[in-house]
Amino acid sequence: MQDELLYRVHLPSQQLNRQELATTTNTAETTVLWPRDLLPNVVHDARIFTWGYDADIDGFGSASQSTIYQHASSLLSDIADQREKSPCYRAPILFVVHSLGGIVVKAALNRSSATQGTRLKDITPSTFGVCFLGTPHRGSQSASLGKIAFEVTRVMTRRPNTMLLRGLERNSETLEQIGDTFAQTMLTSETKLRVYSFREEKETRKYLVFNTMVVEPDSAKIGDAHEEVGSIPANHSQMTKFEGSEDIGFKRVAAQLRRWVRELRVNEEIFLADIVDCMASLSIPETKFRIVDVRKAYKATFDWLFKPDVVPYSDWLRQGIEKDQPFFWIQGKPGSGKSTLMKFAMRDPRTTALLGDTSDSAPSWTLVAFFFHDRGSSIQKSLLGLLREVVDSTLRQLPQLMPHAIAVYKVLVKSQRKNQPDWHFEALRDVMERITEQRETRVKLLLFLDALDEHKGDNDLLLQMLKEWTQNVDGYYVTLKICLASRSWPVFTQQFEMGPNFAIDHFTKDDIRIYTESRLSSSHGGLAPRLKTESLDFLVEKIMTKARGVFIWVRLVADRLVENIRDGTPFHVLSRIIAETPEELQELYDDTLRRINLQYANETHVMFQMVLCSVARLPLETLVEATVMSLDRYLDGNICLGSESGSNNLSFPQAQRWLISRSGGLLEVYTEANVDRKGEADAPIQYVQFLHQTSKEYIQSPRAQAVLERMAPEVAGKDGFYFLSLASQSCSAWVAPIKLQMLYYIKLTELHGQIDEHIDIPLDDDSGTADPANNPCGFKWWLQQQEDPWLDQLYGKGPTNRDFYGRILRPDLLPYHFLLLVVAANLISMVPNACWPNTFDRGNQDPVTCPLQLAIGGPNIVPAELQDRVAMVEKLLSSGYPPDHRTPIPPHLAGSRKPDHSTYHKTHAIRYTAVEYLLYGFGMVRLADKTRICILNALFDAGADPKETSHPFGQKFWALDEIYKGRSGLPPISHSVLYEPAAIVRTLLQRGVPMDVRDATGWLPIDYALLRRDREILAAFNDRLPEPVRPDLGMSQDPAAFPSGTLTLLSTTMYTALGHPGLSILLARCENQEDCRRLKEERERKEYEGRLDGQRVNLGPA
């Protein structure tokens, strides 16, 4: 007989190709081909295929001589070919298999699971379920009968496949190997492979002689715990030949398939939700701003880029990846037009036309770009921004790659416990590695990465990452080309100079001519009769000669000439202007500053400093208002923060002219669409930035700063952080972009030694506004914009005006809140002097956050590198805060040992000193050991009592251990001996912390030192003990080395609190023979029974 066909159900959403099915199906003693005629009515949006092979395992005809494994290989290849043709090629697969077909599918899935680096490896992860019909998992008696029949007819020329017959014999080695491997495949399957096995209920007549069960019931099932089993009332051959939709066999098979499809639908909805959240978490508009902002190339410029006889760009696009030249480098002087050229190359259709292979089987090229932007936000000049844009843009254009990102996304969701997690560098790098290493989807990527020299970070890491991407690709499934642009820095020259590249400033002479002629021609109407064509050509030629390929120089000079032409300046004066203009860009910038009217000098200085120091983009209105307001406050000191609003009230053209006159054209305005969180468009916003990266670098230079200070001596010595801090005190809507970063600016002002009486943090909302939440002047508005959980819990958000404990934030608590805020922000110079007890001690009715605890373990609401926690602790102590003051630990300062809200009332009664808070490891941050030692010394120097640090807390401390789920209930000194580094222990001992304090079990600190076996800690005790401890003896220490009464028999308690090693210590130091005997018995019992993670536990020497 001929073996039955395998039916493969492939989901979702393609209509059944009936013609294809009809021509590829080779069955059938029945007029109903159920995969074609019945199954589409069960699974409506499935793509259904059949796959057959020539087995003829027990017939008298000639058959294919392929083995099971060869059939499996053919099946995998055919499926992979079909999936590549489909837009839904990653859709899940359901197999319906009969007889030997089930063995072939198991072998195929085994091979796919073991495959690495080929397109076949995706088949098993995509398989959702296998429905076995009469599959002989443990062999069949029919195979032996087939061999007998073959011997009877061997005189004939027909050749059944005896290799298959041997493999299908009962308990054959082949079936056992396939079955064992398939069990592992099921265990490791990403989709938790579903299996349903049907057996035949009726016998089959064989060779007109006798009846038999071709596949016995025990052989028709795999035997897996998750397998479902059933039966079909037919013999082995007829169990797959259904006469209609009412056939009981079809009903049973269809019910199972229908259930799997429903489960797939649910999974698909979950997956789609994951995709939406994943893409929302990846997308960040700022990464696209720079590309939009780059000026479009002037008409008819840069056409030489596509001329092979000029530059090798076209040849590089045409060549295959086998040339081992994945990078193309465009280098050039600062301001030579590299970014404009990159945008031109990316947008010009000739780029994709030259990339080659446009056949139907080859994927089209996907273009992705990221332009570093030093004048933008931190994300625009970081590797994190590069990765987010590349990953986001790639996935949006190639959604078939989405599973590679979802795998990483789910890890982030699990760790961060939110549906839109924060993507960090390693996670994004992992996604790109998965994309470039995958061998399932054919993709061709062309990356444009501009301004590598504006990347603020490790350039070696950047280059290493790009190199890894190009090394991961194989040239067939993944093809990658990267076009880069940067200045000719050594780090880039060393990496790219041996590959295809060119210097842009060598080829832009004609482009400069086109640009200059266009600019001057469009502006010479005022001189039309006098400025002849030859005169215009003369000016253009002079500009071309002096420009030396630097486009930004040309732009600045052209702007100056255009202004003079409109004013009617004669030709000879225009010529002199060009002649007097410095050729060097730095000198041109010097000349630009000197031309600014001195009456604007103060505004020029303040404006440049603000743009330099702002961490957020400043809208034009914000910059104008902030400049005027901060200057008024600094020079006059009489501005009314509750009333000024829109004091300048300039129109956009007026504000733009104001900017040009004060900056000399070194700052420019660009417009950007404004989309709110709901995706709705609002009025566009005009932002300010430096004209070019070179202009920013110039203003940052000591050379320019000296010029600015000479121009504006009244404001000399104050930087942008100072003036931004002043502006943050405004109550007007324009201040929002500055006020969001208020604490950061004030902290940097402090570090630069510029804090004065003008700098303040306005905490009150007394501005007369009905809704303080919408008032940028108010402290509550600022709080609502923050995303720091500590601030949420301490101050509360929303109209209730309550803190974490439900207490109302009364106006009389403002000094207390001010203190906590400046401590959290590490604003040392703003801590009030001599304010104990009025500010610190508010009693039990008010919030209980301890400033010392906050200084030690509070969150980093300003960057950690800007903070000096030791100095803040010293400042609080010098201001009168008692070092031994005991306060509870609120949950928002407990850190990793935070209790839940239901148990907080238990810990509220337990109060700690700052030393105990530090030693027990509370806090939102983990400080370096050196910092912790410095804080300990500061506390002891201020009068902290070492004996207070030895308080064992008794039963209250054991209750604390239940709530915080932390370490054992130990006195601070014992806790430090057991868990902290030796330097901490030595500091405590040197400061006189008693060594004779016992814990609740009677143990001394030295007991824990011996338990830990740290030689440095034991050495610290040796310096304090009358008789030295011998660390080489460890747990077998001579009892005589310890004071009398050190030990207490606590075998069960010690085993629970400290584990097995505690018993050995008790044994080694027991004073009573009876106690020693009891302990030895306990030790032997624990050694016999004790297991840790499934391994025998060594309890140490007896």
Side-chain angles (χ1 to χ4, degrees):
M1 77 176 218
Q2 178 161 342
D3 191 60
E4 297 297 321
L5 298 179
L6 167 80
Y7 302 108
R8 181 165 67 92
V9 184
H10 187 183
L11 302 171
S13 71
Q14 281 280 345
Q15 291 296 324
L16 174 65
N17 188 330
R18 295 177 181 274
Q19 182 179 359
E20 180 185 56
L21 183 62
T23 57
T24 57
T25 302
N26 182 22
T27 188
E29 300 168 2
T30 176
T31 58
V32 177
L33 183 58
W34 66 271
R36 179 192 65 196
D37 301 329
L38 304 181
L39 197 55
N41 297 322
V42 176
V43 186
H44 301 288
D45 55 356
R47 300 176 68 235
I48 303 173
F49 299 91
T50 62
W51 188 85
Y53 54 94
D54 186 9
D56 200 18
I57 60 172
D58 57 356
F60 297 106
S62 296
S64 167
Q65 300 301 300
S66 296
T67 65
I68 293 174
Y69 297 107
Q70 289 168 338
H71 284 310
S73 297
S74 299
L75 172 61
L76 282 179
S77 297
D78 290 346
I79 293 175
D81 290 341
Q82 187 61 46
R83 282 161 68 84
E84 283 186 347
K85 299 177 184 178
S86 167
C88 304
Y89 71 96
R90 288 199 65 91
I93 302 171
L94 300 179
F95 286 103
V96 182
V97 296
H98 178 239
S99 194
L100 175 60
I103 307 300
V104 172
V105 166
K106 290 196 319 184
L109 295 178
N110 291 342
R111 181 182 176 189
S112 171
S113 180
T115 297
Q116 295 295 329
T118 75
R119 61 189 183 130
L120 304 182
K121 72 174 184 178
D122 185 46
I123 305 301
T124 297
S126 298
T127 300
F128 186 80
V130 184
C131 183
F132 293 102
L133 303 176
T135 296
H137 297 289
R138 294 173 181 79
S140 170
Q141 184 68 21
S142 179
S144 299
L145 295 174
K147 286 203 300 181
I148 295 171
F150 171 62
E151 292 297 330
V152 172
T153 60
R154 64 183 302 177
V155 295
M156 307 174 115
T157 59
R158 296 163 185 162
R159 297 180 58 226
N161 191 333
T162 54
M163 288 185 289
L164 287 181
L165 291 172
R166 294 191 191 97
L168 288 175
E169 285 185 336
R170 185 74 175 176
N171 297 322
S172 75
E173 183 177 345
T174 298
L175 289 180
E176 183 177 357
Q177 182 181 12
I178 292 174
D180 290 345
T181 306
F182 187 67
Q184 292 299 315
T185 299
M186 290 181 64
L187 283 174
T188 58
S189 172
E190 298 177 8
T191 57
K192 297 182 180 179
L193 190 63
R194 282 77 169 166
V195 171
Y196 200 108
S197 298
F198 287 98
R199 62 177 175 83
E200 61 215 54
E201 292 183 4
K202 297 181 179 180
E203 294 182 334
T204 298
R205 187 171 182 80
K206 303 293 288 185
Y207 311 117
L208 305 177
V209 177
F210 51 85
N211 297 334
T212 183
M213 282 285 190
V214 175
V215 179
E216 298 174 356
D218 68 317
S219 183
K221 61 183 180 180
I222 294 175
D224 184 82
H226 301 288
E227 176 188 23
E228 296 181 78
V229 296
S231 65
I232 292 177
N235 63 27
H236 186 73
S237 175
Q238 295 298 317
M239 69 185 304
T240 61
K241 298 181 175 70
F242 307 132
E243 297 179 355
S245 59
E246 297 302 314
D247 190 301
I248 186 62
F250 177 75
K251 283 186 174 182
R252 291 176 179 176
V253 173
Q256 185 57 41
L257 293 178
R258 192 181 293 111
R259 185 166 64 87
W260 282 348
V261 169
R262 281 198 303 267
E263 190 174 351
L264 280 169
R265 290 289 172 265
V266 174
N267 292 348
E268 184 181 34
E269 291 176 3
I270 296 174
F271 182 71
L272 290 175
D274 284 344
I275 290 177
V276 172
D277 286 334
C278 177
M279 296 307 297
S281 65
L282 276 172
S283 180
I284 178 167
E286 288 177 88
T287 57
K288 300 176 175 64
F289 287 165
R290 176 56 180 160
I291 299 175
V292 176
D293 182 44
V294 170
R295 291 173 180 265
K296 184 180 178 181
Y298 241 69
K299 186 177 181 180
T301 59
F302 295 140
D303 281 338
W304 50 265
L305 179 65
F306 294 99
K307 296 179 179 180
D309 57 335
V310 179
V311 293
Y313 178 71
S314 296
D315 293 335
W316 176 75
L317 290 175
R318 290 192 188 99
Q319 74 181 18
I321 197 170
E322 67 277 359
K323 297 293 185 180
D324 196 28
Q325 291 182 339
F327 298 108
F328 191 94
W329 182 35
I330 300 174
Q331 56 176 306
K333 298 176 182 178
S336 56
K338 297 182 294 296
S339 297
T340 303
L341 179 64
M342 287 286 282
K343 184 173 182 177
F344 170 78
M346 185 181 110
R347 299 285 175 85
D348 196 290
R350 287 172 287 185
T351 292
T352 52
L354 287 167
L355 283 168
D357 197 352
T358 57
S359 62
D360 294 338
S361 60
S364 59
W365 282 85
T366 300
L367 273 59
V368 176
F370 179 78
F371 287 21
F372 285 104
H373 188 37
D374 180 63
R375 292 162 283 159
S377 63
S378 58
I379 198 73
Q380 292 178 274
K381 46 193 170 189
S382 66
L383 272 182
L384 187 65
L386 163 66
L387 282 168
R388 286 189 71 159
E389 175 58 24
V390 170
V391 171
D392 179 62
S393 184
T394 299
L395 294 177
R396 290 184 188 280
Q397 296 181 75
L398 299 169
Q400 57 267 41
L401 296 175
M402 199 68 214
H404 302 291
I406 290 295
V408 181
Y409 162 80
K410 288 184 176 179
V411 174
L412 294 177
V413 169
K414 185 176 181 180
S415 63
Q416 299 180 25
R417 298 181 180 180
K418 54 184 181 180
N419 292 334
Q420 295 186 13
D422 300 320
W423 288 82
H424 52 75
F425 172 77
E426 291 300 334
L428 292 163
R429 190 176 186 180
D430 186 14
V431 174
M432 279 306 297
E433 287 180 356
R434 290 168 180 256
I435 289 175
T436 54
E437 291 176 350
Q438 62 87 25
R439 299 296 181 262
E440 305 157 6
T441 309
R442 292 193 66 189
V443 297
K444 293 183 176 183
L445 288 174
L446 175 58
L447 304 186
F448 287 91
L449 305 180
D450 180 53
L452 269 60
D453 49 279
E454 296 187 34
H455 163 233
K456 297 303 178 185
D458 187 347
N459 283 322
D460 290 328
L461 177 60
L462 166 62
L463 297 178
Q464 176 190 348
M465 185 179 70
L466 297 179
K467 187 175 181 180
E468 287 174 356
W469 294 354
T470 60
Q471 291 174 341
N472 289 343
V473 305
D474 65 339
Y476 177 77
Y477 279 100
V478 183
T479 305
L480 176 63
K481 290 176 178 285
I482 305 177
C483 182
L484 316 110
S486 74
R487 301 183 192 180
S488 304
W489 287 2
V491 65
F492 304 126
T493 301
Q494 183 180 2
Q495 183 71 34
F496 303 123
E497 67 177 348
M498 300 306 295
N501 70 91
F502 65 81
I504 182 177
D505 43 281
H506 294 172
F507 304 97
T508 54
K509 189 173 182 179
D510 290 338
D511 299 324
I512 291 174
R513 177 192 297 276
I514 294 171
Y515 171 81
T516 308
E517 287 179 349
S518 177
R519 287 294 312 277
L520 299 186
S521 297
S522 63
S523 305
H524 78 279
L527 296 179
R530 292 168 286 163
L531 190 58
K532 300 179 180 179
T533 302
E534 55 269 23
S535 300
L536 179 62
D537 291 342
F538 177 81
L539 295 178
V540 171
E541 191 64 34
K542 291 191 69 172
I543 291 175
M544 290 171 54
T545 303
K546 297 193 70 172
R548 295 187 296 181
V550 179
F551 251 109
I552 192 64
W553 187 96
V554 176
R555 179 180 168 187
L556 288 169
V557 174
D559 288 343
R560 188 176 297 180
L561 290 176
V562 166
E563 183 178 353
N564 278 271
I565 291 173
R566 287 173 178 168
D567 292 341
T569 304
F571 169 75
H572 71 278
V573 177
L574 297 176
S575 178
R576 189 173 69 236
I577 290 174
I578 298 176
E580 293 175 354
T581 302
E583 292 186 13
E584 293 296 332
L585 200 55
Q586 296 290 319
E587 295 177 359
L588 177 59
Y589 288 147
D590 283 340
D591 185 64
T592 301
L593 280 186
R594 285 193 295 267
R595 290 173 178 271
I596 295 175
N597 193 322
L598 286 179
Q599 67 176 331
Y600 306 145
N602 287 341
E603 293 173 316
T604 297
H605 182 279
V606 172
M607 178 180 59
F608 276 134
Q609 301 299 339
M610 282 186 172
V611 178
L612 277 178
C613 295
S614 177
V615 295
R617 296 174 301 150
L618 295 178
L620 177 59
E621 179 192 12
T622 297
L623 181 61
V624 174
E625 298 284 357
T627 299
V628 175
M629 178 267 184
S630 58
L631 267 175
D632 287 345
R633 182 156 176 80
Y634 177 66
L635 297 176
D636 301 331
N638 59 0
I639 191 166
C640 179
L641 298 181
S643 61
E644 61 83 22
S645 178
S647 57
N648 289 282
N649 198 26
L650 300 178
S651 65
F652 172 67
Q654 290 174 322
Q656 195 168 29
R657 288 195 296 271
W658 181 94
L659 180 72
I660 294 172
S661 65
R662 272 71 173 173
S663 70
L666 297 184
L667 294 176
E668 66 175 357
V669 177
Y670 67 97
T671 302
E672 188 173 291
N674 182 23
V675 180
D676 61 20
R677 294 181 179 179
K678 298 180 180 180
E680 298 177 358
D682 204 344
I685 301 177
Q686 289 78 33
Y687 290 99
V688 177
Q689 67 177 6
F690 281 96
L691 175 69
H692 189 264
Q693 179 63 18
T694 56
S695 59
K696 178 182 179 181
E697 293 170 354
Y698 168 74
I699 294 297
Q700 284 176 319
S701 69
R703 173 177 178 169
Q705 290 296 313
V707 173
L708 290 172
E709 291 189 359
R710 286 195 300 269
M711 291 173 59
E714 289 183 286
V715 291
K718 299 296 185 183
D719 60 20
F721 298 116
Y722 176 84
F723 291 109
L724 288 164
S725 299
L726 284 179
S728 69
Q729 299 170 56
S730 172
C731 66
S732 300
W734 56 259
V735 81
I738 297 176
K739 194 151 195 167
L740 289 174
Q741 306 295 331
M742 172 178 62
L743 296 182
Y744 174 78
Y745 295 141
I746 297 177
K747 179 60 185 177
L748 281 166
T749 300
E750 179 185 73
L751 290 176
H752 296 169
Q754 299 177 14
I755 291 286
D756 59 21
E757 69 279 5
H758 299 302
I759 303 297
D760 194 9
I761 302 177
L763 297 186
D764 63 321
D765 284 335
D766 188 16
S767 58
T769 303
D771 184 6
N774 294 323
N775 177 16
C777 172
F779 183 58
K780 284 194 288 295
W781 175 88
W782 178 82
L783 282 173
Q784 288 180 335
Q785 310 308 311
Q786 306 304 306
E787 297 181 356
D788 193 293
W790 177 80
L791 290 170
D792 293 354
Q793 296 177 351
L794 180 63
Y795 293 101
K797 288 186 175 181
T800 59
N801 198 26
R802 292 176 180 269
D803 69 0
F804 181 73
Y805 313 103
R807 283 180 283 271
I808 296 177
L809 304 182
R810 303 192 309 271
D812 64 316
L813 292 181
L814 284 178
Y816 175 80
H817 290 158
F818 176 84
L819 173 68
L820 294 184
L821 190 62
V822 298
V823 171
N826 201 246
L827 297 172
I828 300 165
S829 62
M830 300 185 73
V831 173
N833 293 320
C835 51
W836 174 268
N838 295 328
T839 301
F840 290 119
D841 189 12
R842 303 297 304 177
N844 292 330
Q845 295 182 355
D846 296 330
V848 293
T849 299
C850 169
L852 269 182
Q853 293 175 357
L854 183 58
I856 295 170
N860 294 321
I861 64 174
V862 297
E865 62 270 16
L866 302 181
Q867 299 185 46
D868 186 343
R869 291 182 182 263
V870 177
M872 176 56 77
V873 171
E874 292 173 343
K875 175 66 175 179
L876 289 171
L877 294 171
S878 67
S879 298
Y881 196 94
D884 287 331
H885 185 61
R886 290 189 173 276
T887 57
I889 300 178
H892 55 264
L893 288 181
S896 60
R897 303 182 69 185
K898 179 176 68 176
D900 58 42
H901 294 187
S902 63
T903 58
Y904 173 71
H905 67 280
K906 298 180 182 179
T907 63
H908 193 69
I910 305 174
R911 296 172 175 261
Y912 303 84
T913 65
V915 172
E916 292 160 354
Y917 177 84
L918 178 65
L919 294 178
Y920 284 128
F922 294 108
M924 305 295 291
V925 295
R926 177 67 178 178
L927 301 180
D929 292 337
K930 182 178 180 180
T931 302
R932 299 168 71 215
I933 292 172
C934 290
I935 292 176
L936 284 173
N937 285 325
L939 291 167
F940 286 124
D941 288 342
D945 185 356
K947 294 182 180 180
E948 283 285 323
T949 311
S950 305
H951 196 289
F953 293 102
Q955 295 303 315
K956 288 184 179 179
F957 199 92
W958 286 105
L960 173 73
D961 189 46
E962 296 176 5
I963 295 168
Y964 279 102
K965 307 175 183 64
R967 294 161 178 167
S968 300
L970 304 174
I973 178 63
S974 296
H975 180 280
S976 300
V977 168
L978 193 57
Y979 296 109
E980 298 294 349
I984 297 284
V985 177
R986 183 174 292 277
T987 299
L988 294 175
L989 295 177
Q990 290 174 346
R991 288 292 184 164
V993 175
M995 295 186 297
D996 58 353
V997 60
R998 299 180 184 276
D999 63 13
T1001 65
W1003 276 49
L1004 293 173
I1006 187 63
D1007 300 332
Y1008 293 100
L1010 287 167
L1011 175 65
R1012 186 170 175 180
R1013 298 185 181 184
D1014 187 300
R1015 291 178 177 270
E1016 293 186 21
I1017 292 178
L1018 290 171
F1021 276 96
N1022 278 340
D1023 295 339
R1024 305 269 295 169
L1025 288 171
E1027 298 183 31
V1029 179
R1030 296 177 57 191
D1032 57 307
L1033 296 179
M1035 291 185 179
S1036 299
Q1037 179 65 42
D1038 185 351
F1042 300 92
S1044 175
T1046 296
L1047 302 175
T1048 304
L1049 270 181
L1050 295 166
S1051 59
T1052 303
T1053 303
M1054 186 56 62
Y1055 174 73
T1056 303
L1058 295 176
H1060 306 83
L1063 296 175
S1064 296
I1065 291 180
L1066 291 174
L1067 274 173
R1069 294 149 51 192
C1070 191
E1071 299 173 347
N1072 183 284
Q1073 293 296 323
E1074 178 62 21
D1075 292 341
C1076 187
R1077 183 189 64 78
R1078 289 172 55 192
L1079 279 173
K1080 285 183 178 179
E1081 292 177 355
E1082 181 72 10
R1083 179 189 185 282
E1084 291 172 357
R1085 184 178 68 83
K1086 295 296 183 185
E1087 185 176 46
Y1088 178 76
E1089 298 176 351
R1091 290 179 178 275
L1092 183 61
D1093 296 329
Q1095 303 295 325
R1096 293 295 297 174
V1097 177
N1098 184 5
L1099 299 182

